[in-house]
Amino acid sequence: NGYTRSTDGDVQVTCIEGATLATVTDHRPLGFNYACNDGKVTRAAQTAVPDSAATIQNESLPVLGAKPVGLARQKLTVFGTLEVPLANEAQIRFNGDVTINSKNFGLRNNSDPRFIYDDTLNRGVVNASISYVTPDKKWEIKAFARNLTDERHILSGSAELSGLLLTTAEIKSGTGLFGTVYNTPRTFGGTVTYRFR
């Protein structure tokens, strides 16, 4: 549990975070992490856009006082591990986690709540893996699946193209967005790890 305030010269972020880890039974740890975030741009290359502004221009530049792009107000992660010991002292390990984020500011320069897109809401990204760990614990062979349910949401976007002015209605509806960046789709893979110690 903790409180953090960080400033890098351009952005100031305040975070209150809580975490716990418990062993439900032998070889079955379960935990969660919750964070509540707030932040603002503290140095910018242009003046702030008034809440009543009908249009915006050059959206790619940060605006003083705006919320940092991609900063979710709330984030919850629940994770667990199941370790199954084998007769030869090797181990099969199952890992899983689910992360849920609240909606965030998907555009770079708007702190007006009208610019929080429903499509930035992370309804639950599920990751899972299964590993074989050798008896000496030095080798681990893992197969994993990331974003198992193929949850898609916007990480960031832009609403400016060569000085083009967009109305707030176009921005709010997403019709004026271009260069939209989504989270990574469902991915499968594997790793082999060797530990020297």
Side-chain angles (χ1 to χ4, degrees), residues 39-41 46-71 104-117 157-160 166-168 170-172 177:
K40 63 181 178 179
V41 175
Q46 66 183 76
T47 58
V49 176
D51 288 345
S52 60
T55 59
I56 66 168
Q57 187 174 21
N58 203 5
E59 184 278 332
S60 61
L61 294 176
V63 171
L64 191 64
K67 300 293 183 182
V69 64
L71 180 67
N104 64 71
F105 292 86
L107 291 178
R108 295 189 185 94
N109 75 348
N110 292 285
S111 58
D112 189 320
R114 290 173 297 177
F115 299 105
I116 304 179
Y117 290 107
S158 183
E160 180 272 333
L166 300 174
T167 67
T168 52
E170 288 175 321
I171 297 167
K172 184 177 179 181
L177 285 175

Side-chain angles (χ1 to χ4, degrees), residues 132-141 192-197:
Y132 172 78
V133 182
T134 57
D136 59 9
K137 311 302 180 188
K138 290 188 174 182
W139 288 95
E140 181 177 357
I141 303 170
V192 177
T193 303
Y194 178 79
R195 297 177 177 85
F196 291 94
R197 297 183 63 181

